[in-house]
């Protein structure tokens, strides 16, 4: 049965079925340069993307500020011969930034029957074999308590100690303690917690408590290695941060507080995140920047522009001035000379060299604002940034805004559509884009499987956090469209990027990469993006497709002459597609073919992480005119070598 999408393409391309299918690549000319920054990443704190995700901290509610009423995620450790109580304590704060500590009183405890407190982590503490964990905590003892404290990673039932260490030297003053915990040859599990116990009666107060597994590049306040590897494998050229709605917060007072996210973690109280939980701010401005550095990607910094998700806005003019200054200071932190105030602060934080910032986005989705004040706010903020940093490209969040006569260098356009909608709009996408206008940044996009389950609507809650192959088809046709138009679409990034798949962890679906405490996996969409971003030339080659529902794009590597054709078959049947490469007299007979193909409902998960993955094969008999048969529901990259 022919789908509506097929008909739409036939109408869009003005070609009847009678003409027979054809996919033509015009290699006689280039339709423009492929943007070298086309493929990037977008990220924000959503779905426990950082806390309980990429940020490797294992202790949840490490500063005891998640819940003012009770020590959330902390519980008493005791057995039938020991006893303890725990309580939040606001009368003995660790410092003026973290006003709450945890009082732990062991009322009955011995060496064989210790008592204390345990943290359950983010859906468990991951135990990996032969692994070193770095524990740190701030503690002070009540007079009369004598050392030591035992810190350990133990099974939920308390019977198995996977690793442990001792802390001694407590006094009645706050002091920081560190211990290394080493596991043996254990079976991986997340049914474990982190315990701090006393082996005698007494009271101690705990300040910030932290536990890190090994991190990417061994950064002390670093990132989870498995997820980082997956991100690096996407070959991203930039990272858009810190949002998204996370930049704005629900209220002006809950915007991303970049200045409070700097320095030692015991100086970071965290802040309420608009996605329904408190952010630890362990993932602070410097961590974002070093994350970019570790991926060899540029930071694309979004600065707060005076509008928050709940509808509050700051009036342009004098009221907005402190926020303008805040944005200027933030940029100074990123690129300022070390003689500047914030450049010096960056150096003090351990990174004297400025980062390679070229793009700054002003706000996020300001078109949702009822009061429509973006023109004024953008004008004021962009004037100030341009005056100080004329080299930066500025991005507006509102495509049709007049911006009080200011010109944005780029506009950010977001697109969350169902696969069928992407199929429909992608075949002719970009034809009406104004090549004289600002460059285009598709700063958030993703295909969801069906229009009946939009990411922000109820029915989507019943679906898995990460998308199925059906969504990857929508992603594929849209990426092909963006690549065909990458002379004007200079940057694009899928969103959201990350999701903790434990029940209750997510706020939005679909998401590209899923994980729990122990492992991570990529959705079929992840692999489709990887296929696109890792196989790309620098010249756009014009393509025409007619009499077929297959969509695609082509680029050429001007250094090697390689022609890279990307094709997406949205049909349930194989598609035999005559492909003509015009302007090339001969091609090497052997081509590399990368294929992602599965049933629309097929997907990956923690249990089946590699159920749908690309397969690389070699195809012979390639000529400037050849017929290629695409499997049903497939995304294919053909790498054709010229002589
Ligand atoms: O990606 C999820 C959310 O969708 C982003 O935070 C927001 O910018 C958009 O509406």
């Amino acid at each position: 049965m022919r789908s509506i999408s097929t008909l739409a393409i036939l109408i869009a391309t003005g070609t009847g079925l009678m003409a027979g299918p054809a996919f033509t690549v015009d290699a006689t000319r280039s339709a423009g340069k492929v943007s070298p920054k086309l493929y990037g990443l977008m990220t924000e704190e959503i779905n426990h993307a950082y806390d309980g995700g990429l940020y490797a901290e294992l202790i949840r509610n490490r500063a005891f500020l998640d819940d003012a009423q009770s020590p959330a995620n902390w519980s008493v450790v005791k057995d039938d011969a020991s006893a303890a109580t725990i309580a939040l304590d606001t009368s003995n704060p660790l410092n003026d930034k973290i006003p709450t500590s945890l009082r732990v009183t062991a009322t009955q405890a011995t060496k064989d029957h210790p008592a204390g407190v345990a943290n359950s982590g983010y859906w468990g503490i991951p135990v990996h074999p032969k692994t070193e964990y770095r524990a740190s905590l701030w503690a002070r003892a009540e007079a009369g308590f004598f050392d030591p404290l035992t810190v350990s990673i133990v099974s939920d039932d308390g019977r198995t100690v996977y690793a442990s260490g001792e802390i001694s030297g407590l006094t009645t003053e706050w002091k920081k303690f560190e211990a290394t915990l080493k596991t043996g040859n254990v079976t991986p599990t997340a049914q474990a917690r982190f315990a701090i116990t006393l082996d005698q009666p007494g009271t101690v107060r705990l300040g910030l408590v932290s536990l890190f597994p090994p991190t990417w590049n061994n950064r002390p306040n670093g990132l989870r290695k498995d997820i980082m590897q997956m991100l690096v494998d996407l070959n991203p050229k930039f990272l858009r941060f810190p949002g998204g709605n996370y930049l704005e917060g629900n209220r002006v007072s809950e915007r991303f507080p970049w200045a409070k996210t700097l320095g030692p973690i015991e100086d970071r109280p965290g802040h309420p995140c608009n996605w329904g939980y408190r952010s630890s701010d362990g993932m602070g401005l410097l961590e974002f920047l070093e994350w970019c550095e570790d991926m060899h990607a540029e930071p694309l910094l979004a600065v707060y522009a005076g509008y928050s998700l709940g509808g509050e806005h700051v009036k342009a003019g004098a009221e907005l001035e402190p926020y303008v200054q805040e944005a200027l200071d933030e940029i100074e932190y990123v690129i300022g000379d070390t003689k500047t105030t914030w450049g010096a602060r960056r150096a003090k934080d351990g990174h004297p060299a400025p980062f390679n910032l070229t793009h700054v986005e002003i706000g996020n989705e300001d078109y949702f604002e009822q009061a429509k004040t973006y023109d004024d706010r953008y004008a004021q903020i962009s004037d100030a940034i341009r005056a100080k940093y004329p080299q930066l490209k500025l991005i507006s969040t509102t495509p049709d805004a007049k911006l009080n006569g200011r010109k944005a260098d780029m506009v950010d356009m977001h697109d969350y559509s169902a696969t069928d909608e992407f199929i429909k709009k992608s075949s002719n996408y970009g034809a009406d884009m104004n090549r004289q206008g600002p460059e285009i940044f598709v700063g958030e996009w993703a295909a969801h499987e069906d229009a009946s389950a939009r990411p922000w609507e109820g029915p989507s809650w019943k679906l898995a956090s990460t998308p199925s192959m059906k969504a990857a088809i929508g992603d594929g046709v849209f990426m092909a469209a963006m690549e065909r138009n990458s002379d004007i679409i200079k940057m694009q990034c899928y969103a959201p990027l990350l999701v903790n798949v434990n029940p209750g962890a997510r706020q939005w679906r679909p998401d590209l990469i899923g994980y729990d405490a122990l492992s991570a996996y990529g959705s079929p969409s992840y692999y489709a993006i990887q296929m696109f971003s890792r196989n790309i030339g620098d010249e756009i080659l014009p393509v025409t497709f007619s009499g077929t529902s297959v969509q695609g794009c082509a680029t050429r590597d001007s250094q090697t002459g390689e022609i890279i054709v990307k094709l997406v078959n949205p049909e349930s049947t194989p598609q035999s597609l005559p492909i003509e490469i015009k302007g090339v007299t001969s091609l090497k007979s052997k081509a590399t073919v990368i294929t992602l193909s599965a049933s629309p409902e097929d997907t990956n998960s923690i249990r089946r992480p590699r159920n749908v993955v690309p397969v690389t094969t070699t195809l012979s008999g390639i000529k400037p005119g050849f017929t290629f048969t695409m499997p049903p529901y497939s995304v294919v990259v053909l790498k054709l070598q010229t002589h």
Side-chain angles (χ1 to χ4, degrees):
M1 194 178 76
R2 188 161 304 286
S3 66
I4 293 173
S5 51
T6 310
L7 289 175
I9 288 164
L10 294 176
I11 291 161
T13 54
T15 313
L17 263 183
M18 299 310 289
F23 188 91
T24 307
V25 177
D26 184 357
T28 61
R29 64 190 179 97
S30 158
K33 285 266 160 225
V34 175
S35 166
K37 294 181 189 166
L38 184 60
Y39 290 96
L41 302 177
M42 186 275 165
T43 168
E44 64 178 316
E45 182 59 277
I46 184 173
N47 306 319
H48 286 273
Y50 312 140
D51 288 350
L54 179 65
Y55 178 52
E57 174 65 82
L58 297 177
I59 304 298
R60 187 168 184 180
N61 191 16
R62 67 184 181 185
F64 311 110
L65 295 171
D66 282 6
D67 182 342
Q69 308 308 319
S70 65
N73 295 101
W74 292 93
S75 59
V76 165
V77 174
K78 65 179 182 67
D79 62 21
D80 48 6
S82 65
T85 60
I86 58 171
L88 294 178
D89 183 356
T90 49
S91 57
N92 290 280
L94 171 62
N95 56 40
D96 58 349
K97 305 210 174 71
I98 298 189
T100 303
S101 60
L102 185 71
R103 193 180 64 236
V104 182
T105 300
T107 47
Q108 198 185 335
T110 61
K111 253 196 170 7
D112 292 337
H113 298 279
V117 66
N119 187 275
S120 49
Y122 293 94
W123 294 273
I125 298 285
V127 183
H128 295 285
K130 298 198 167 157
T131 302
E132 271 190 17
Y133 296 77
R134 284 177 295 110
S136 68
L137 56 86
W138 287 79
R140 55 185 276 191
E142 196 101 300
F145 172 76
F146 305 103
D147 296 331
L149 289 178
T150 301
V151 287
S152 51
I153 299 173
V154 291
S155 58
D156 281 342
D157 63 10
R159 289 199 185 135
T160 311
V161 177
Y162 295 109
S164 76
E166 273 198 355
I167 278 173
S168 54
L170 271 73
T171 68
T172 52
E173 300 300 320
W174 283 114
K175 226 168 117 183
K176 187 178 179 183
F177 299 90
E178 290 176 322
T180 301
L181 310 184
K182 210 169 172 180
T183 56
N185 204 6
V186 296
T187 307
T189 178
Q191 284 172 1
R193 51 198 182 141
F194 177 67
I196 305 165
T197 51
L198 295 72
D199 58 14
Q200 60 188 300
T203 294
V204 293
R205 285 188 175 73
L206 299 175
L208 191 117
V209 180
S210 173
L211 180 70
F212 273 87
T215 57
W216 187 265
N217 276 353
N218 293 321
R219 293 199 187 266
N221 190 40
L223 307 180
R224 211 171 118 165
K225 283 172 130 181
D226 55 347
I227 301 178
M228 258 307 267
Q229 186 62 61
M230 296 188 69
L231 299 179
V232 167
D233 288 348
L234 287 174
N235 194 24
K237 299 299 177 205
F238 68 89
L239 175 74
R240 175 180 179 236
F241 70 88
N245 295 145
Y246 183 60
L247 166 73
E248 307 159 51
N250 277 332
R251 320 190 48 151
V252 175
S253 60
E254 293 174 0
R255 66 195 181 282
F256 179 66
W258 67 266
K260 292 185 185 159
T261 69
L262 303 175
I265 55 175
E266 57 270 19
D267 287 348
R268 303 187 199 185
H271 78 285
C273 151
N274 63 289
W275 293 108
Y277 54 96
R278 196 178 168 85
S279 165
S280 73
D281 287 342
M283 202 63 199
L285 179 55
L286 184 62
E287 284 74 23
F288 279 112
L289 294 164
E290 290 181 336
W291 172 15
C292 294
E293 209 164 63
D294 285 351
M295 294 192 296
H296 307 291
E298 260 187 30
L300 189 158
L301 176 71
V303 295
Y304 181 70
Y307 161 67
S308 289
L309 193 58
E312 284 181 357
H313 78 266
V314 183
K315 227 167 132 211
E319 231 181 83
L320 190 65
E321 228 13 69
Y323 299 87
V324 175
Q325 191 55 49
E326 207 172 274
L328 291 176
D329 291 346
E330 187 174 12
I331 296 170
E332 187 173 282
Y333 185 87
V334 181
I335 55 174
D337 190 86
T338 51
K339 290 191 198 81
T340 63
T341 308
W342 288 100
R345 174 63 204 263
R346 186 191 64 240
K348 180 172 166 248
D349 291 342
H351 203 291
F355 291 90
N356 181 26
L357 180 75
T358 59
H359 289 71
V360 169
E361 180 159 13
I362 299 180
N364 176 61
E365 293 188 339
D366 291 76
Y367 47 82
F368 279 126
E369 190 200 10
Q370 299 283 317
K372 302 283 170 223
T373 65
Y374 188 59
D375 289 341
D376 295 341
R377 291 184 288 106
Y378 180 91
Q380 188 174 343
I381 297 170
S382 68
D383 285 355
I385 298 178
R386 286 206 198 282
K388 195 163 176 201
Y389 300 107
Q391 77 276 23
L392 292 178
K393 283 200 172 185
L394 301 186
I395 306 173
S396 144
T397 69
T398 305
D400 48 3
K402 300 277 178 283
L403 308 178
N404 288 358
R406 308 311 190 274
K407 285 220 170 353
D409 299 300
M410 220 177 205
V411 292
D412 182 358
M413 295 175 20
H414 294 177
D415 198 336
Y416 294 104
S417 296
T419 287
D420 281 352
E421 294 164 335
F422 270 133
I423 290 172
K424 213 166 170 177
K425 73 173 107 173
S426 294
S427 62
N428 205 25
Y429 190 83
D432 56 351
M433 280 174 183
N434 177 3
R435 262 53 190 183
Q436 280 15 281
E439 293 175 342
I440 290 170
F441 172 39
V442 188
E444 291 181 27
W445 66 269
H448 44 275
E449 295 85 342
D450 291 298
S452 60
R454 300 282 188 208
W456 48 89
E457 287 172 355
S460 78
W461 290 109
K462 300 197 188 84
L463 304 175
S465 298
T466 52
S468 70
M469 184 65 200
K470 181 164 183 195
I473 295 293
D475 297 327
V477 291
F478 191 50
M479 280 190 288
M482 290 191 282
E483 213 171 286
R484 289 195 306 271
N485 291 281
S486 85
D487 60 313
I488 184 75
I489 301 176
K490 298 288 183 180
M491 299 164 110
Q492 56 94 343
C493 42
Y494 185 102
L497 181 64
L498 301 170
V499 66
N500 186 311
V501 297
N502 277 293
R506 83 160 193 243
Q507 290 79 46
W508 185 286
R509 86 166 298 279
D511 305 291
L512 202 63
I513 296 172
Y515 45 83
D516 61 9
L518 278 181
S519 66
Y521 69 94
S523 59
S525 298
Y526 168 86
Y527 289 107
I529 293 177
Q530 194 187 76
M531 287 163 66
F532 270 66
S533 65
R534 286 164 59 144
N535 298 287
I536 187 159
D538 56 341
E539 291 175 354
I540 305 167
L541 297 183
V543 296
T544 48
F545 33 99
S546 56
T548 175
S549 51
V550 171
Q551 297 189 35
C553 61
T555 58
R556 173 167 45 205
D557 182 327
S558 60
Q559 296 290 306
T560 62
E562 184 182 52
I563 294 173
I564 302 143
V565 178
K566 292 165 180 165
L567 300 167
V568 183
N569 175 14
E571 298 293 339
S572 58
T573 50
Q575 299 294 305
S576 178
L577 189 66
I579 297 178
E580 188 193 352
I581 315 289
K582 278 203 323 206
V584 167
T585 46
S586 69
L587 287 167
K588 285 194 184 156
S589 164
K590 285 198 164 114
T592 301
V593 184
I594 310 168
T595 307
L596 184 73
S597 174
S599 294
E601 64 284 357
D602 282 350
T603 197
N604 296 332
S605 63
I606 292 284
R607 277 170 190 273
R608 301 186 72 196
R610 296 189 58 79
N611 187 39
V612 182
V613 292
V615 175
T616 301
T617 50
T618 304
L619 187 68
S620 300
I622 301 295
K623 294 182 285 193
F626 66 102
T627 295
F628 179 69
T629 301
M630 293 195 68
Y633 301 116
S634 59
V635 178
V636 172
V637 176
L638 294 173
K639 303 182 78 173
L640 312 176
Q641 316 293 329
T642 49
H643 284 286

